[in-house]
Amino acid sequence: MPSVTTEPTHLPLPLESDWLDWVGARGEQQLALARSLVEGLRSDPPREPLEVLRVWNEAQTALSNAASVGSLFSEVHPDAAVRERAEAVAQQVQKLDTDLGLDTQLYAVLAGVDASGLDADASRVLERTLRDFRRSGVDQDDATRDRLRELSERAVLLSQEFSKNIREDVRSIRLTPDRLDGMPQDWVDAHPVDDEGLVTVTTDYPDVVPFRTFARDARARRDLVTEFLTIAWPANDRVLQELFAVRREHAALLGYASWADYDAEVKMIGSGKAIGEFIDRITELSTASAERDKAVLLERLRQDRTEADEIDGADVSYYAELVRKEQLAVDAQQVRTYFAFEAVRQGLLDVTGRLFGLEWSPVPREDARTWHEEVATYDVSFQGERIGRIHLDLHPREGKYKHAAQFDLARGVAGTQLVEGVLVCNFNRGLMEHDEVVTLFHEFGHLVHHVLAGRTDWVRFSGVATEWDFVEAPSQMLEEWAWDADVLATFARNAAGETIPAELVRAMRRADDFGKGYDARTQMFYAALSYDFHVNQSDDLTARLRELMGRYSVFPYLAGTHMQCHFGHLDGYSSAYYTYMWSLVIAKDMFSAFDRDDLFDPEVAGAYRDKVLAQGGRRDAADLVEDFLGRPYTFDAYAAWLAE
Ligand SMILES: [Zn+2]
């Protein structure tokens, strides 16, 4: 590392009028720095092994700085021109990253490093770096590398076509207005009757989600759900077959038995075979709970249709909603009166501050100079020392990212740069729904991880730099604090100053828990699709889907549907759709170390902070979890939760 005389400070952001130039300059500068450092490694590498890794670390830090500016400001800046400039930076980062991955000269320098004198962290940096290079195919012969590049380019086109077919195939049914019975009035008002006296209901989410949940007309629900599960068929059947073939060949060229093996190698789960075993295990664990709640649905269905002996996807959402309303009554209107935004935000900071021993000090807007006046900035201190800065950008506005996520502004590197993270969400400004409160805690779990792991020497391990199937575990675990009556009592008060009643919180939890078993089975059906299609070749994807649905879902196949064609995650997640459930298993296990009567126990929380979060990617996630729990992770806590 360069010698440092002062502690690194936060990244100074520009004055309002200078953003466009600043984003471009920051991107260019950091990309140029990365290029020149790499050029130095190629042409005149240092003799000391550690020095080679240090230069590589500086190059990777610069590349990550450019990537952060590109990805954050292309999603959040209020000025479209700034967003476009940031987008261009992101594309350049992507290109440089791909070029470096296939750079044989650079690979030769790094592969030539003698690892014998390196400490554990440096050895791991080297080992992970060489693994990335090999996975991109840099050590293959020219013909193989050319073919790999061709396959990657083809895969990009296929995935674009797959998404486009889904996006553009909007289907619909048309109904007489009397068949809208049960739909909320604001929804009915937004769906006027046409010249022929009919109302059009489409397969877009704002239609299909409320319709399958509230519409009383069973035939209409069935027709719409059938259309929904047939989106992009047959076009995407062919696209999927080719996409799977491309991935099969890609994995085979690199010496893997299947795409799932290739993909799982860098994840906590480790191998394709382990994915199949995990799916079977969760299926077994969730069956009793799934059957129990399914029986409740079926019993309620029989009040309307006495002869029914099965319930399928056309009826599940509707009857689950009825059961929640009739048997687990929670009044959402009453719940939200306890969650005023400002109090929730402060409550979250107080709760996490107390839990992790952190101090969040507000930075005045004129000092922080952020991209929007609604962004709240805080300096983070631990034991009196400033360790990072966070920015909370929590309300919707035009042109802003539509989901909830944590972004990096800077990844922390000890002695070099201060960690800065950003939460980007779209919450109500007044009263919040409880599920928004849960989302806020979830996303804040990623942010705390990013900050606490921001003081390592190596950018490779900084922040949320852990295996992809572990990433969600810390944030899924922090959700538990948003469901605890004692925790909520510290900040959830209505306008009259009354604290949210513990009984109401328990009722909310019961309603939320209903259906968790059959949801797990449905998730395992999706996970099985994602895994099986990447391991076994089948000429008829729908036939294979029916088989897998029969084995993993508790609900039967809906005749005439082809849901694989619009299951977008077959592209993005490829064979790894299991990941969300996998990290939930780990989250439940880690949470079992806490005393449910005292979620603030400083000893447990401190151990979790130091042994799991602050480690970032320095060790395998399984080792971090074992270090915290004092034993290897198990499925017990997850199984107990399902049985509750
Ligand atoms: Zn998350």
Side-chain angles (χ1 to χ4, degrees):
M1 305 276 138
S3 65
V4 184
T5 47
T6 51
E7 277 306 302
T9 184
H10 62 269
L11 184 63
L13 296 176
L15 294 169
E16 209 149 326
S17 54
D18 300 339
W19 270 96
L20 190 61
D21 290 343
W22 184 86
V23 164
R26 170 88 179 157
E28 293 300 331
Q29 246 168 39
Q30 297 294 310
L31 281 162
L33 178 59
R35 281 192 198 99
S36 82
L37 288 163
V38 166
E39 189 41 47
L41 275 183
R42 265 200 225 99
S43 56
D44 185 19
R47 293 167 57 91
E48 279 294 303
L50 192 59
E51 212 36 49
V52 173
L53 291 180
R54 283 176 172 167
V55 176
W56 177 240
N57 189 46
E58 283 177 51
Q60 290 292 96
T61 304
L63 195 60
S64 101
N65 287 340
S68 298
V69 162
S71 74
L72 174 64
F73 293 113
S74 63
E75 296 286 5
V76 301
H77 204 280
D79 181 349
V82 176
R83 293 200 297 274
E84 261 170 57
R85 181 70 59 91
E87 185 82 32
V89 171
Q91 282 160 6
Q92 283 173 276
V93 171
Q94 187 83 54
K95 185 171 178 323
L96 180 55
D97 201 39
T98 308
D99 290 348
L100 293 182
L102 290 168
D103 186 327
T104 49
Q105 217 185 331
L106 175 63
Y107 174 66
V109 170
L110 287 156
V113 169
D114 174 10
S116 57
L118 300 175
D119 70 10
D121 280 357
S123 308
R124 187 173 164 91
V125 168
L126 180 61
E127 184 256 317
R128 290 296 142 114
T129 301
L130 296 178
R131 189 179 73 178
D132 290 345
F133 271 107
R134 281 194 299 270
R135 284 172 59 80
S136 67
V138 73
D139 57 348
Q140 304 287 332
D141 61 44
D142 289 352
T144 308
R145 287 169 57 222
D146 286 348
R147 181 65 184 151
L148 284 168
R149 200 179 277 116
E150 257 171 45
L151 290 171
S152 298
E153 283 164 11
R154 186 68 194 141
V156 170
L157 292 179
L158 286 166
S159 90
Q160 285 167 349
E161 194 182 345
F162 182 66
S163 316
K164 180 168 170 280
N165 287 341
I166 295 172
R167 227 173 27 238
E168 294 185 353
D169 186 13
V170 178
R171 299 179 178 220
S172 58
I173 57 170
R174 294 171 77 220
L175 303 167
T176 49
D178 57 302
R179 300 184 69 191
L180 302 181
D181 188 27
M183 296 305 292
Q185 193 55 47
D186 59 334
W187 189 93
V188 174
D189 293 344
H191 291 73
V193 179
D194 65 20
D195 296 345
E196 293 169 57
L198 296 173
V199 173
T200 299
V201 186
T202 73
T203 51
D204 280 343
Y205 283 103
D207 275 7
V208 77
V209 172
F211 201 85
R212 71 197 292 179
T213 311
F214 300 117
R216 292 205 182 96
D217 188 317
R219 184 72 236 171
R221 279 203 311 270
R222 184 159 303 266
D223 290 346
L224 185 65
V225 170
T226 302
E227 289 296 333
F228 180 68
L229 295 176
T230 317
I231 289 174
W233 185 80
N236 268 351
D237 220 54
R238 179 192 57 74
V239 176
L240 282 175
Q241 287 287 18
E242 193 186 343
L243 186 61
F244 299 148
V246 162
R247 287 173 176 167
R248 259 197 309 275
E249 186 183 346
H250 189 119
L253 283 174
L254 292 169
Y256 296 85
S258 72
W259 174 269
D261 274 338
Y262 168 70
D263 187 69
E265 181 191 28
V266 290
K267 298 197 166 70
M268 202 174 168
I269 204 159
S271 72
K273 185 163 158 281
I275 299 174
E277 289 164 2
F278 174 72
I279 293 170
D280 287 338
R281 181 111 191 240
I282 296 296
T283 299
E284 193 189 311
L285 287 174
S286 53
T287 294
S289 166
E291 295 297 348
R292 189 182 60 211
D293 287 354
K294 183 185 172 185
V296 176
L297 292 183
L298 200 52
E299 194 184 300
R300 180 59 191 80
L301 168 65
R302 286 204 192 98
Q303 292 177 26
D304 298 342
R305 240 179 279 161
T306 43
E307 77 294 352
D309 57 3
E310 190 47 281
I311 181 165
D312 64 25
D315 291 323
V316 170
S317 304
Y318 177 77
Y319 284 97
E321 174 65 16
L322 273 191
V323 166
R324 287 201 182 92
K325 194 155 69 189
E326 295 169 356
Q327 302 173 25
L328 303 161
V330 173
D331 181 354
Q333 293 297 329
Q334 185 207 351
V335 170
R336 65 206 298 275
T337 62
Y338 295 99
F339 297 112
F341 173 77
E342 297 283 346
V344 172
R345 185 178 63 188
Q346 190 54 48
L348 166 82
L349 295 171
D350 293 343
V351 165
T352 50
R354 187 172 153 198
L355 191 61
F356 298 118
L358 298 173
E359 231 178 282
W360 314 101
S361 322
V363 180
R365 163 123 184 93
E366 60 273 21
D367 295 339
R369 295 205 303 223
T370 60
W371 50 98
H372 192 269
E373 61 190 15
E374 280 187 326
V375 178
T377 300
Y378 301 83
D379 277 330
V380 193
S381 309
F382 178 62
Q383 295 175 343
E385 185 194 344
R386 178 161 89 145
I387 62 165
R389 176 172 274 200
I390 60 165
H391 307 273
L392 307 181
D393 183 353
L394 301 181
H395 302 304
R397 62 177 173 267
E398 205 193 314
K400 182 180 152 180
Y401 183 73
K402 297 291 176 231
H403 313 281
Q406 180 255 317
F407 286 77
D408 303 345
L409 180 55
R411 293 170 69 184
V413 179
T416 302
Q417 63 183 31
L418 189 75
V419 58
E420 288 193 68
V422 184
L423 267 206
V424 183
C425 301
N426 288 280
F427 299 132
N428 287 326
R429 289 180 176 78
L431 296 175
M432 295 172 80
E433 307 297 334
H434 182 253
D435 64 5
E436 293 183 312
V437 177
V438 175
T439 301
L440 178 60
F441 273 72
H442 175 104
E443 298 303 337
F444 206 81
H446 293 303
L447 187 61
V448 167
H449 197 180
H450 175 69
V451 170
L452 285 172
R455 290 190 296 172
T456 82
D457 291 333
W458 304 98
V459 72
R460 187 77 169 71
F461 304 143
S462 177
V464 188
T466 178
E467 292 101 311
W468 197 35
D469 47 1
F470 179 70
V471 162
E472 293 301 325
S475 46
Q476 285 168 327
M477 191 178 85
L478 201 59
E479 289 179 25
E480 302 280 354
W481 275 256
W483 284 104
D484 183 83
D486 294 335
V487 172
L488 291 178
T490 64
F491 63 86
R493 276 175 210 90
N494 63 16
E498 294 155 347
T499 301
I500 190 166
E503 186 42 51
L504 177 61
V505 178
R506 272 192 290 276
M508 286 154 55
R509 180 119 223 188
R510 272 197 301 276
D512 188 63
D513 274 352
F514 179 75
K516 62 191 170 186
Y518 64 66
D519 281 344
R521 291 285 301 261
T522 302
Q523 289 296 313
M524 289 308 95
F525 159 53
Y526 297 154
L529 277 186
S530 123
Y531 170 63
D532 186 90
F533 285 165
H534 285 93
V535 173
N536 299 313
Q537 199 174 342
S538 39
D539 296 332
D540 185 342
L541 294 178
T542 301
R544 187 68 184 146
L545 174 143
R546 292 185 64 165
E547 269 176 63
L548 294 168
M549 190 164 187
R551 197 179 313 158
Y552 294 107
S553 173
V554 293
F555 303 116
Y557 170 74
L558 204 58
T561 59
H562 307 271
M563 78 69 82
Q564 75 275 10
C565 292
H566 96 147
F567 186 36
H569 293 315
L570 285 175
D571 176 34
Y573 279 77
S574 75
S575 49
Y577 187 76
Y578 74 92
T579 51
Y580 192 84
M581 191 64 76
W582 175 271
S583 43
L584 186 62
V585 169
I586 311 277
K588 294 287 180 195
D589 198 14
M590 293 196 300
F591 185 59
S592 72
F594 286 84
D595 176 357
R596 288 215 196 176
D597 294 325
D598 178 15
L599 291 188
F600 289 108
D601 184 333
E603 209 170 306
V604 187
Y608 173 65
R609 175 195 62 216
D610 299 339
K611 292 178 174 179
V612 178
L613 298 180
Q615 297 298 319
R618 290 180 62 203
R619 296 169 65 194
D620 290 352
D623 295 337
L624 302 182
V625 174
E626 179 166 353
D627 193 23
F628 168 55
L629 292 174
R631 56 162 174 80
Y633 64 87
T634 74
F635 288 63
D636 299 352
Y638 174 81
W641 168 71
L642 278 175
E644 261 168 30

